[in-house]
Amino acid sequence: MTSRARLFPSLRVLCAALALLFAAALVGTFPGRAEAQDISGALGQFTSNKYDDTEAALGALALSGSPAAAGIVSALADGRLVFGGLPPRVFIEGEGGALLDPLTMQPVADAPPVKPVRVNNRVRRAIEAANGALSLVSPDAGKRREAALAVGRSRDEAALPALDAALAKESDPQVKSAMNLARASILIGKEGISPAERIAAVELVGAEGNQDALAILRGVPDSAAPEVKQAAAQAIEGIERNLAMWGMAQNVWYGLSLGSVLLLAAIGLAITFGVMGVINMAHGEMVMLGAYTTFVVQEVIRTSYPGLFDASLLIAIPLAFLFTGLIGVIIERTVIRFLYGRALETLLATWGISLILQQAIRTIFGPTNREVGAPSWMSGSFEIGHLSITSGRLWIIVFALLVFFALLATLRLTRIGLEMRAVTQNRRMAASMGIRTNWVDAMTFGLGSGIAGMAGVALSQIDNVSPNLGQSYIIDSFLVVVFGGVGNLWGTLVGAMTLGVANKLLEPYAGAVLGKIALLVIVILFIQKRPRGLFALKGRSIEA
Amino acid sequence: MSITRQPALLGTSGIIFLAVLFAASVLVPVLNLAVAPDSAVHVPTYVVSLLGKYLTYALLALSVDLIWGYVGILSLGQGAFFALGGYAMGMYLMRQIGTRGVYGDPVLPDFMVFLNWKELPWFWYGFDWFPFAALMVLLAPGILALVFGWFAFRSRVTGVYLSIITQAMTFALLLAFFRNDMGFGGNNGLTDFKDILGFNIQADGTRLTLFVLSALALGLGYVLCRFLVRSHFGKVLVAIRDAETRVRFTGYRAENYKLVAFVVSAMLAGIAGALYVPQVGIINPSEFSPANSIEIIVWVAVGGRGTLVGAALGAVLVNYAKTYFTSGMLAPYWLFMLGGLFVAVTLFLPKGIVGTYYDWREKRRRHDDIPAAPLAAPGPAE
């Protein structure tokens, strides 16, 4: 018997709304209100083993509020509710066939021969209904709230009496408001209530302000009074405006998230390209190397120190910085330093380097994507209002800003930062002041590369770690730096965030690809207008 | 090149270049048709197409050299013009398929039938008529270059900035052509061509003709570029390359000069693309990829920027190397070599093969007859 119920779980889900209807019907129709706490009469009815009586007993149980009711109903559903003896009594069959008293759940000493209470489809529906009504008065507040929400979604008038009964007893404010909402949802569509009542219901639902409320408000019957309809229309408009605002806010959030990714990718370039003037096409590969560093760190942790997995990213960040920074210094010392002042030729040389690095990684790690896991603190999400925010993205934004301000501080406050600025502004003068310009060049390029490597650690969390990882960021990174204004870190920050948000705001209208194309065109046009970017460095040189 | 002595239209290297081209366009057909297939000097048809492909690349490199070598415009989007020319030709070839497609639709290309389109989009109109398609081969890249250049040069976007927005342009086009809704075959591009002007595109004769046409186009393109850079116009271009602001102060509208050069260069690239597509048999959005455009720059850099002949030579050499290495055991190392080539050329051969040879020749000449040539032309500046 029970196995059939389990065979059709979807049927049960489908019946959920129906069930509540029956629950309400039972609660409303059966004259059981008086003996609310006393369920012995209901128990007696089970022993007749007639479907009608069983159903009636279920109804009585549903509104009894007795703590034992839920157990009895579920025992009936599982075929464990049995009866026997003289006079017939009801038992619950426990584990190993022991008979338990349904009220106390204690084993009974003199167990008579028993047989299960029969169940048919009608009774099964009644069981569902009783379950629904019972959960409205369940001792668990969460369950009560869920049941109220379910009633609200079903919007069934018949559930009203049960709801009213439950409301009268409810003390938890959260559950109460859910029940009130459910009640209002039902009232909106109910025939024969006063306009004032209906308007109150509309307002209550309107205050909820989500998609469900919208659907409920659209269900106001045509027969309703005009002022009710107007109130509903107003509420709908309000909700739609509200939802549109939240949707916009969500898109802005996505945009900031994308912007932080762009910022991470571009910030190293803002050093190598923006400050040093090297068109560093190998920048993307530095990001890629950082991502592979993360992969290697995680591999080592997985095989040797599995307990450290949650710290893997924290370990990878400094390692990636050092490793890619070192590679950057090597590149600067062997190639770039011969090309200063020939910006366009650095483009060719660094493009060559990027091909070599890509192929090297492909040879070592293979051309396929590598698995980089997310530590537990990077996964999960939470909601603010109607905004859903994933922790991973949040951390990336935080990380991007941290890196940005750390870099800013390095350039502004440290000795090496001062020297870097001196060398980029006037190399000869800096040299004559005793600054080792060669060393500063190497350090600057190393710093830019190292930051790219740290970006790679973050990007390994949201992108495929493959040899082509860097390629997908290089064009965007250049656009961000050029858009923001070469040589200006704040410009990079504003540029990245602007492009990120603009991209995400365009997406709903144009789709992902067209939005991206539109953005590229916009940036191209923008550069016509301001050939030196958003925050151009002011100078007197005509050629600069 | 000196100011006082107007160099000949062709010059020694130009004559050698055209002679080699002419010899190739005579020899290759002869060796393909008249020599027995088992002979050692027989040129199989696939090699003919391969050589034809190199020649179109050489023309493309030439177009880059015209603007990079002589005007200082480093376009990282030249591949876009090449691809547009290729798409114009590809659209003509698609229309020639007629009912021989998989779905046998007399008007719609296969991919449109597949996408359930009911009629030909307006921008496909006219492409069944060769002269129109040929015009589009010139106009599509030309107009794009005109619009793009007009905006960019007028607002004086130069140097690195220009390079980056040209790259953004080709990237935007790459994304756009990947879209199925664009009506250019999406990801797969245009392929399965059957015939061109009534000739079977697979036939040996057609392949040879295309090869000879490519050689002709390269030769004419070379003469055109040579003519341009020798003229007064060309002198202004070189002046813009070396000191744009000074040229402006002298009263020239630098942006107009740059624009003309840019548009001519884009059209040359378009022709190259149009000749490339029937020989390769496919055109797809990957031709728009920024990496392709950067590779073209390398061909020019290897051969010698600002030498024209060098650009063509570089294109053929690098692509021959690519074919040679990517087909053999060394395939995994090709990118190492290409990357290494980029680095080595910029570090050790900044003037490229031909440029270095010119320097060497100049030095020897000066050694022979003192005091010979006046000041040697300064190397191309950024």
Side-chain angles (χ1 to χ4, degrees):
Chain A
M1 285 292 203
T2 53
S3 63
R4 265 180 64 195
R6 289 214 187 92
L7 270 175
F8 302 108
S10 56
L11 192 77
R12 287 173 62 175
V13 174
L14 215 148
C15 283
L18 251 180
L20 284 156
L21 183 156
F22 270 85
L26 291 167
V27 172
T29 0
F30 290 101
R33 230 169 259 258
E35 61 245 83
Q37 281 299 321
D38 179 19
I39 58 171
S40 53
L43 287 179
Q45 273 180 301
F46 282 120
T47 57
S48 77
N49 208 16
K50 288 187 183 128
Y51 294 131
D52 284 346
D53 287 341
T54 307
E55 227 181 303
L58 272 172
L61 276 182
L63 52 82
S64 66
S66 156
I72 297 170
V73 173
S74 75
L76 177 62
D78 296 348
R80 288 186 291 111
L81 194 69
V82 294
F83 68 99
L86 264 175
R89 283 170 62 201
V90 180
F91 307 96
I92 289 174
E93 203 173 59
E95 286 194 21
L99 295 182
L100 312 172
D101 184 277
L103 292 174
T104 59
M105 294 304 274
Q106 292 304 315
V108 277
D110 51 340
V114 292
K115 58 179 186 175
V117 178
R118 288 191 300 164
V119 175
N120 68 356
N121 274 339
R122 195 151 56 96
V123 172
R124 243 175 249 119
R125 276 197 295 273
I127 291 173
E128 296 276 5
N131 269 333
L134 278 173
S135 35
L136 269 178
V137 292
S138 145
D140 180 354
K143 270 192 190 149
R144 288 204 301 276
R145 187 161 171 268
E146 250 169 58
L149 291 178
V151 172
R153 272 194 292 274
S154 76
R155 269 180 281 156
D156 211 300
E157 290 175 33
L160 212 46
L163 205 51
D164 280 337
L167 250 175
K169 275 188 272 178
E170 189 55 58
S171 56
D172 185 315
Q174 247 195 323
V175 179
K176 203 161 187 169
S177 80
M179 285 180 175
N180 269 323
L181 186 67
R183 188 167 174 274
S185 318
I186 296 169
L187 284 185
I188 283 179
K190 189 169 153 47
E191 297 291 331
I193 61 166
S194 75
E197 231 178 317
R198 213 193 289 265
I199 289 176
V202 163
E203 274 164 7
L204 192 63
V205 173
E208 182 69 3
N210 56 17
Q211 288 290 352
D212 288 343
L214 213 53
I216 292 166
L217 287 172
R218 293 214 171 99
V220 170
D222 282 338
S223 58
E227 63 262 37
V228 174
K229 276 199 250 179
Q230 199 193 344
Q234 254 175 10
I236 287 177
E237 197 187 322
I239 292 178
E240 275 174 345
R241 206 176 322 120
N242 194 20
L243 282 182
M245 249 171 56
W246 280 110
M248 180 82 95
Q250 183 78 62
N251 279 334
V252 169
W253 164 256
Y254 288 145
L256 289 178
S257 164
L258 176 65
S260 67
V261 170
L262 290 177
L263 177 65
L264 272 175
I267 197 168
L269 198 67
I271 299 288
T272 51
F273 171 55
V275 176
M276 300 181 79
V278 175
I279 306 181
N280 185 11
M281 295 302 271
H283 175 74
E285 277 55 47
M286 296 296 159
V287 176
M288 186 262 290
L289 287 182
Y292 271 92
T293 310
T294 320
F295 167 70
V296 171
V297 166
Q298 287 201 345
E299 279 303 290
V300 171
I301 285 179
R302 264 197 198 118
T303 51
S304 312
Y305 316 95
L308 283 175
F309 187 75
D310 270 357
S312 60
L313 292 192
L314 298 180
I315 299 170
I317 286 170
L319 285 179
F321 179 80
L322 290 177
F323 177 63
T324 51
L326 180 69
I327 300 277
V329 170
I330 293 173
I331 291 173
E332 199 278 342
R333 283 292 87 187
T334 52
V335 178
I336 309 279
R337 69 169 166 145
F338 303 106
L339 300 172
Y340 284 120
R342 294 192 282 164
L344 295 182
E345 292 186 18
T346 60
L347 183 152
L348 295 181
T350 50
W351 179 256
I353 293 168
S354 87
L355 290 184
I356 293 172
L357 289 176
Q358 271 179 50
Q359 192 59 22
I361 290 295
R362 209 170 278 133
T363 313
I364 299 169
F365 293 98
T368 49
N369 291 345
R370 285 307 182 144
E371 168 87 20
V372 170
S376 56
W377 46 272
M378 285 284 285
S379 47
S381 65
F382 57 92
E383 298 207 345
I384 300 177
H386 295 268
L387 276 188
S388 102
I389 289 176
T390 44
S391 318
R393 292 281 174 167
L394 184 67
W395 279 116
I396 287 177
I397 293 183
V398 170
F399 181 64
L401 291 177
L402 278 181
V403 170
F404 176 80
F405 286 108
L407 177 63
L408 209 60
T410 309
L411 287 182
R412 286 268 170 88
L413 306 177
T414 64
R415 170 89 197 169
I416 180 79
L418 180 70
E419 291 181 350
M420 281 175 191
R421 285 182 291 142
V423 170
T424 46
Q425 279 168 22
N426 193 329
R427 170 175 302 270
R428 283 173 160 196
M429 185 65 84
S432 60
M433 300 297 281
I435 294 174
R436 288 150 66 202
T437 53
N438 283 339
W439 186 75
V440 170
D441 285 336
M443 284 302 114
T444 316
F445 200 83
L447 178 68
S449 305
I451 289 173
M454 292 203 291
V457 178
L459 296 187
S460 73
Q461 294 295 310
I462 55 169
D463 207 337
N464 298 327
V465 178
S466 76
N468 303 325
L469 172 76
Q471 290 292 301
S472 42
Y473 289 102
I474 187 72
I475 292 178
D476 286 340
S477 305
F478 269 107
L479 282 183
V480 164
V481 175
V482 168
F483 178 72
V486 169
N488 188 327
L489 279 183
W490 284 102
T492 307
L493 174 69
V494 176
M497 290 304 168
T498 314
L499 291 186
V501 172
N503 194 351
K504 286 297 170 185
L505 289 184
L506 276 173
E507 251 175 37
Y509 304 103
V513 178
L514 267 190
K516 176 96 189 171
I517 295 171
L519 196 68
L520 286 170
V521 173
I522 290 171
V523 171
I524 290 175
L525 289 177
F526 176 84
I527 289 174
Q528 319 295 334
K529 196 77 197 150
R530 294 190 66 127
R532 293 288 172 265
L534 268 179
F535 299 97
L537 288 186
K538 296 204 170 52
R540 288 183 176 183
S541 165
I542 1 162
E543 296 279 8
Chain B
M1 271 178 267
S2 74
I3 311 287
T4 48
R5 189 164 33 124
Q6 177 77 343
L9 176 58
L10 292 178
T12 324
S13 49
I15 290 170
I16 295 173
F17 175 65
L18 290 182
V20 169
L21 258 189
F22 180 73
S25 54
V26 172
L27 266 181
V28 168
V30 167
L31 292 180
N32 177 249
L33 292 178
V35 177
D38 50 357
S39 157
V41 290
H42 174 76
V43 176
T45 306
Y46 82 90
V47 175
V48 174
S49 282
L50 199 62
L51 292 174
K53 188 174 91 170
Y54 294 165
L55 292 184
T56 63
Y57 281 155
L59 182 57
L60 176 60
L62 203 64
S63 79
V64 168
D65 197 22
L66 178 65
I67 52 171
W68 187 34
Y70 292 90
V71 204
I73 302 170
L74 179 59
S75 163
L76 297 184
Q78 201 72 4
F81 303 129
F82 179 77
L84 282 178
Y87 264 98
M89 177 58 88
M91 285 160 83
Y92 163 75
L93 294 173
M94 282 312 263
R95 294 301 309 276
Q96 295 307 302
I97 295 175
T99 53
R100 286 167 292 176
V102 178
Y103 296 107
D105 192 297
V107 177
L108 295 185
D110 276 346
F111 72 88
M112 291 189 192
V113 181
F114 184 74
L115 290 174
N116 234 340
W117 290 17
K118 293 292 169 249
E119 53 186 68
L120 208 59
W122 60 270
F123 46 82
W124 276 74
Y125 291 163
F127 275 97
D128 48 340
W129 189 49
F130 185 78
F132 179 79
L135 188 67
M136 280 301 143
V137 163
L138 291 175
L139 284 188
I143 289 175
L144 176 66
L146 185 71
V147 173
F148 189 89
W150 191 78
F151 276 115
F153 300 140
R154 243 171 43 100
S155 34
R156 302 186 189 172
V157 180
T158 50
V160 178
Y161 296 87
L162 188 70
S163 302
I164 286 169
I165 63 170
T166 51
Q167 189 176 43
M169 174 193 78
T170 192
F171 186 56
L173 284 168
L174 169 77
L175 293 177
F177 274 75
F178 261 124
R179 285 166 45 91
N180 277 330
D181 305 352
M182 276 286 286
F184 294 108
N187 207 353
N188 301 322
L190 310 175
T191 186
D192 269 344
F193 308 132
K194 303 290 186 217
D195 49 30
I196 177 168
L197 289 170
F199 301 101
N200 180 355
I201 207 159
Q202 304 286 353
D204 288 7
T206 319
R207 301 249 153 190
L208 280 174
T209 314
L210 284 168
F211 169 78
V212 173
L213 280 175
S214 303
L216 188 67
L218 178 59
L220 288 177
Y222 173 74
V223 174
L224 173 71
C225 289
R226 223 10 233 191
F227 172 76
L228 280 179
V229 301
R230 258 180 80 258
S231 64
H232 177 81
F233 174 79
K235 299 275 180 251
V236 179
L237 290 185
V238 173
I240 290 172
R241 175 193 75 190
D242 293 339
E244 182 168 346
T245 323
R246 234 187 273 186
V247 173
R248 224 177 242 128
F249 289 161
T250 349
Y252 287 100
R253 300 285 299 245
E255 58 270 26
N256 292 351
Y257 283 84
K258 286 165 102 175
L259 190 57
V260 171
F262 194 55
V263 170
V264 169
S265 153
M267 286 178 164
L268 282 177
I271 295 172
L275 286 165
Y276 168 85
V277 168
Q279 301 190 68
V280 179
I282 185 169
I283 174 84
N284 62 29
S286 67
E287 296 296 335
F288 283 103
S289 80
N292 272 20
S293 293
I294 294 179
E295 215 178 304
I296 305 167
I297 305 294
V298 176
W299 306 339
V300 179
V302 168
R305 177 187 167 199
T307 59
L308 295 182
V309 178
L313 183 70
V316 174
L317 279 182
V318 174
N319 280 295
Y320 174 70
K322 187 175 188 172
T323 313
Y324 181 81
F325 287 113
T326 50
S327 57
M329 299 245 304
L330 295 168
Y333 302 100
W334 164 245
L335 278 180
F336 285 126
M337 299 170 103
L338 185 66
L341 188 67
F342 278 45
V343 177
V345 165
T346 39
L347 284 186
F348 307 118
L349 216 60
K351 291 189 174 173
I353 297 169
V354 174
T356 309
Y357 165 73
Y358 282 167
D359 276 4
W360 174 77
R361 197 181 56 181
E362 188 75 11
K363 213 183 282 175
R364 213 181 56 171
R365 189 185 296 157
R366 235 186 288 172
H367 190 74
D368 285 352
D369 46 21
I370 327 164
L375 284 174
E382 293 308 328

